[in-house]
Amino acid sequence: MSRVYNFSAGPAVLPEEVLREAAAEMLDYNGTGMSVMEMSHRSKPFEEIIQTAEKDLRDLMNIPDNYKVLFLQGGGWTQFSAVPMNLMKNGVADYIITGSWAKNAWKEAKKYGTANAIASSEDENFTYIPDCSDLPIDENADYVYICQNNTIYGTAFKTLPNTKGKDLVADVSSCFLSEPVDVTKYGVIWGGVQKNIGPAGVTIVIIREDLIRDDVNPATPTLLKYKTQADKDSLFNTPPCYGIYICGKVFKWLKKMGGLSAMKELNERKAKVLYDFLDSSEMFHGTVRKEDRSLMNVPFVTGDKDLDAAFIKAASEAGFVNLKGHRSVGGMRASIYNAMPEEGVCKLVEFMKKFEAEHK
Ligand SMILES: *Cc1c(COP(=O)(O)O)cnc(C)c1O
């Protein structure tokens, strides 16, 4: 068996320790004689799994009691609809367009009400985060929406927008648990876990209780209504049981690593190794405005498509895989999520140096 350094944007690398534990428990979870995959979601052992997962997530993020944690299915795209269907009370919302995911969310919201694009960085292919200190927030807006870390373009909000008192809704799919957050600054924090937490299939929604309403858009499907799942502690119907179990293990791992402050330190150190090299290299260049750089997704280019392709191929042969950039940016992208070891980033940079020297 040999593991590679996997720089995939998602589904992405998981902590090896978590995978080993899951493997050891595969046939017989905790003396039950069965796998977590084979277990009723109403059983005692699973109840304990989901409750412990929620408790550990609450500890990690310091989630206040007036916020509900929901473990859902459906991924990012489902939340693009669920958010407006549940939260558009006045039928108005403001969107900040910092990339494809924010734009898709905005387009979806337009089906349910007035969704204003109040800022955008599309003019420069989303290579920066617009100034959000004084935006034209609609006075009837039910919420202001952001994608906090732009997976494809490699930008991140370093300060949250001034929402002028409106509730902030954030898609944190690709920066979930990468650093401490002040949950009270948000109405809703949601993310698909397949980027920075666990396996595809689980979507976590953290929502302030007063935003969980019964009088939502009447066309809202039962399962997309937050109240349905909130009232049943995410067990209205069958949840993504195995995925939740793995997420729970990742939460334990994060606690053992020292929690989110320690992860932030580690993530900053990892990103610095790569960005410092990009800033000094003559061959490789970052594509994003420096002050808006993501700690999680690092796009870079050589400026020559053939050289990019040669690099990706050589890197892959050397065990650094999934470095191909998204088609809308081109070049390369290294996703260096929580579970990417520091050693993986250092070795990648060594490899890039060697490649540069050999291709001068
Ligand atoms: C991947 C991603 C999505 C889309 O998630 P799906 O689960 O594939 O629908 C949405 N937002 C962000 C920030 C993402 O990285």
Side-chain angles (χ1 to χ4, degrees):
M1 186 212 62
S2 86
R3 300 263 302 160
V4 291
Y5 288 114
N6 178 8
F7 294 92
S8 170
V13 58
L14 288 171
E16 193 170 314
E17 194 179 312
V18 166
L19 297 175
R20 285 185 191 282
E21 260 182 48
E25 292 172 352
M26 182 61 79
L27 297 180
D28 177 7
Y29 172 75
N30 205 11
T32 57
M34 64 180 90
S35 156
V36 173
M37 270 182 261
E38 302 167 293
M39 194 175 274
S40 164
H41 60 294
R42 313 253 175 236
S43 66
K44 264 263 162 289
F46 186 74
E47 223 171 67
E48 202 179 300
I49 287 170
I50 191 168
Q51 285 167 4
T52 307
E54 175 172 341
K55 188 185 171 299
D56 286 334
L57 180 63
R58 284 184 176 277
D59 289 349
L60 280 167
M61 292 180 71
N62 201 11
I63 301 174
D65 288 343
N66 64 325
Y67 284 74
K68 274 270 185 190
V69 174
L70 309 177
F71 293 99
L72 308 176
Q73 310 205 37
W77 274 93
T78 305
Q79 291 311 310
F80 295 166
S81 332
V83 165
M85 292 190 110
N86 281 274
L87 302 185
M88 273 185 171
K89 203 172 167 184
N90 301 329
V92 184
D94 289 341
Y95 280 69
I96 298 173
I97 314 296
T98 53
S100 307
W101 296 124
K103 196 172 175 182
N104 285 323
W106 169 59
K107 283 191 195 155
E108 201 68 15
K110 287 206 266 190
K111 296 181 181 171
Y112 307 107
T114 305
N116 307 308
I118 55 167
S120 170
S121 52
E122 192 164 15
D123 58 342
E124 292 183 34
N125 198 31
F126 301 120
T127 51
Y128 70 102
I129 298 288
D131 177 4
C132 296
S133 57
D134 185 19
L135 295 172
I137 309 277
D138 194 308
E139 60 179 56
N140 289 317
D142 293 304
Y143 60 89
V144 175
Y145 183 101
I146 60 168
C147 177
Q148 195 156 329
N149 182 82
N150 296 281
T151 325
I152 294 173
Y153 302 91
T155 59
F157 282 83
K158 301 293 160 79
T159 44
L160 294 176
N162 174 5
T163 64
K164 302 182 179 170
K166 303 298 182 188
D167 288 317
L168 180 65
V169 175
D171 170 0
V172 300
S173 296
S174 50
C175 59
F176 223 153
L177 304 179
S178 62
E179 57 184 313
V181 277
D182 180 353
V183 175
T184 64
K185 295 217 163 90
Y186 303 80
V188 178
I189 299 176
W190 71 263
V193 305
Q194 73 270 28
K195 309 288 163 67
N196 202 24
I197 302 180
V202 183
T203 314
I204 296 176
V205 175
I206 300 163
I207 177 169
R208 214 177 57 230
E209 270 170 357
D210 61 284
L211 295 173
I212 302 172
R213 298 169 23 232
D214 211 16
D215 58 333
V216 298
N217 181 326
T220 308
T222 304
L223 258 189
L224 294 204
K225 189 167 155 181
Y226 293 136
K227 194 168 189 318
T228 304
Q229 291 287 18
D231 285 351
K232 300 286 182 190
D233 298 319
S234 308
L235 292 168
F236 174 81
N237 72 330
T238 316
C241 301
Y242 196 80
I244 293 169
Y245 155 76
I246 299 290
C247 290
K249 287 201 176 297
V250 172
F251 301 154
K252 290 266 186 243
W253 176 77
L254 287 167
K255 281 179 133 178
K256 214 171 88 183
M257 294 286 285
L260 301 192
S261 310
M263 288 320 293
K264 180 178 193 210
E265 236 174 77
L266 177 61
N267 286 326
E268 282 176 342
R269 215 162 57 224
K270 277 155 51 184
K272 189 174 184 312
V273 171
L274 190 45
Y275 284 125
D276 280 354
F277 171 66
L278 291 173
D279 290 343
S280 70
S281 166
E282 281 176 26
M283 178 181 281
F284 298 103
H285 308 283
T287 56
V288 167
R289 189 165 78 179
K290 280 189 186 172
E291 56 268 38
D292 300 325
R293 283 170 164 177
S294 163
L295 290 181
M296 298 281 101
N297 310 98
V298 183
F300 55 96
V301 295
T302 64
D304 173 341
K305 281 197 173 65
D306 295 335
L307 195 56
D308 286 348
F311 172 75
I312 292 162
K313 184 165 178 284
S316 176
E317 283 164 7
F320 306 98
V321 308
N322 290 321
L323 281 166
K324 194 171 181 336
H326 191 272
R327 61 191 176 280
S328 51
V329 179
M332 284 68 71
R333 171 178 49 175
S335 295
I336 50 174
Y337 296 121
N338 284 343
M340 171 56 65
E342 192 170 9
E343 179 198 68
V345 182
C346 295
K347 287 195 171 161
L348 172 66
V349 167
E350 271 171 44
F351 180 80
M352 289 167 77
K353 282 183 184 158
K354 192 166 137 264
F355 184 89
E356 182 168 352
E358 285 167 5
H359 292 77
K360 266 218 165 78

